[in-house]
Amino acid sequence: MGERPRVYKTEGIILRRRNLGEADSIFTVYSDREGKFDAVARGVRKARSHMRGHLEPLTRTRMMIARGRSIDVFTQAETVTSYRAIREDLERAAGAVYCAELADRFTAEHAPQDGLYALLIDTFDALEAGAPLHTVRFFEVSLVALAGYELQLDACALCGARLPEADTLLSATAGGLVCGPCRAGAGGGRVVSIRAVKVLRHAGRAGIDSFAALDLGEALARELQAALGDVIRHLLEREPSAGRFVDDVSRLPVGATLP
Amino acid sequence: MSEGAGTPEPITRLIEAFHKLPGIGPKSAQRLAYHVLRTPPQEAEALAAALRDVKARIRFCSVCLNITESDPCSYCQDARRDASTICVVEQALDILAIERIGFRGRYHVLHGVLNPIEGVGPEELHLKELLQRLGNEEVKEVIMATNPSLEGEATAMYVHRLVAPLGVRVSRLARGLPSGADLEFTDDLTLSRALEGRQDF
Ligand SMILES: [Zn+2]
Ligand SMILES: [Zn+2]
């Protein structure tokens, strides 16, 4: 392998920020070419920092990075999209932060995952344009597939038998839907409605816009959120922190937004 | 650099203690520890006493959660201050900045902001105390003075949604260009908000 260039350019979504020392921050970025990486922005917490607003979490940013011995360093950052509509709406912001956390947890550093950057951008673009919150379910189904855990939804994940057009067990352990006879060996799961099954299949085949345009209604949207939440929790072996926040926000009284 | 086996235990302990402070790396911790070693005994004693006192005598104000020696704190006790306006800040230090510009209402310190990925949720902030105050005191306006970051804004929106049903006005600080900013380097979000918030001469 040849020497890697000392400075590289890339474009990415800022996933996380942690403060370092008095004025620096470390950012976790998911980028098109480098995959996920951490880099430090020196002096970014000072009011006059040129990079400050360009490195806010959830921003799509073009950046220049210098490879450092222990950690890479931002030398330039310029916003492509600030996703203002997302960050000014609590539900959308919570959904986008949840997607950002999943992108972080499902990837390893400097190992770009084919299609993931485009998925992040598509999801954020859709949410920014006013797509309903169930668009996050499209992100979950697609992310899980990209990470190599595509849900088996067309036949029984254990025996391959055809599934009846009826409510069916979705088992995270089995990796998809499970037929009646296999249920005992599925290691638990959740029975999902046939409507939910159809929506999940649609997420695997359709584009994000077509999925976002579905009119799910509240009960079905909640069912899908819970079912995919099980799958994500099983794969990560933990509850995503932002998932709890999504729940906190959903319990708030609905009301006007801040001026 | 790591401490060799020959480093006396009290020094190692001091280095470790400094290393736990925010923004102090292993090298700085070492430098600080050896600095303390060289200072006169009375100075080191004064440092130790200051550390002890801050834990023994300083507490949270039972009303606004400001850090204080007397409870309630001086801001909450001062009858000349406008009790109908509460300025909500992320940390106690922010009060000093708001005081400097002449605000004379009351405060409420959240001791953090919502940070969903790092696991800081509403339970970790002092929101219950704020809601209690809104129930007990004659409050007309809550000013959200959180930072214009993703976390600060999420916190402001969250508090607004909690408080709005109580019929209390919720406002937040204007967002725009910081003085000394350079348009060329300003991000679009800040710039577009500054444009929206423009004012006639
Ligand atoms: Zn089967
Ligand atoms: Zn007080």
Side-chain angles (χ1 to χ4, degrees), chain A residues 22-25 41-53, chain B residues 178-179:
Chain A
E22 290 228 323
D24 305 343
S25 295
R42 302 275 178 219
V44 73
R45 280 148 65 210
K46 292 182 184 155
R48 291 188 183 198
S49 161
H50 288 164
M51 285 192 275
R52 196 178 160 94
Chain B
S179 65

Side-chain angles (χ1 to χ4, degrees), chain B residues 155-166:
Chain B
T155 308
M157 290 189 286
Y158 191 92
V159 171
H160 172 248
R161 289 272 289 275
L162 271 184
V163 167
L166 306 176

Side-chain angles (χ1 to χ4, degrees), chain A residues 150-161:
Chain A
E150 187 171 357
L151 291 172
Q152 172 59 264
L153 301 167
D154 296 316
C156 172
L158 292 177
C159 73

Side-chain angles (χ1 to χ4, degrees), chain B residues 61-66 68 71-77 107 133:
Chain B
C61 171
S62 57
V63 180
C64 74
L65 283 311
N66 183 21
T68 177
D71 183 21
C73 76
S74 56
Y75 303 119
C76 290
Q77 270 179 11
Y107 292 99
R133 289 180 71 180

Side-chain angles (χ1 to χ4, degrees), chain A residues 156-161 163 178-183:
Chain A
C156 172
L158 292 177
C159 73
L163 296 163
V178 173
C179 74
C182 288
R183 238 178 227 201

Side-chain angles (χ1 to χ4, degrees), chain A residues 153-154 163-170 177 183 190-202 216 220 223-224:
Chain A
L153 301 167
D154 296 316
L163 296 163
E165 288 289 288
D167 297 1
T168 311
L169 184 78
L170 175 67
L177 298 174
R183 238 178 227 201
R190 171 193 297 264
V191 176
V192 290
S193 68
I194 182 63
R195 290 183 66 210
V197 169
K198 286 183 173 163
V199 174
L200 289 172
R201 284 180 186 147
H202 191 64
L216 298 187
L220 185 54
E223 184 186 3
L224 287 159

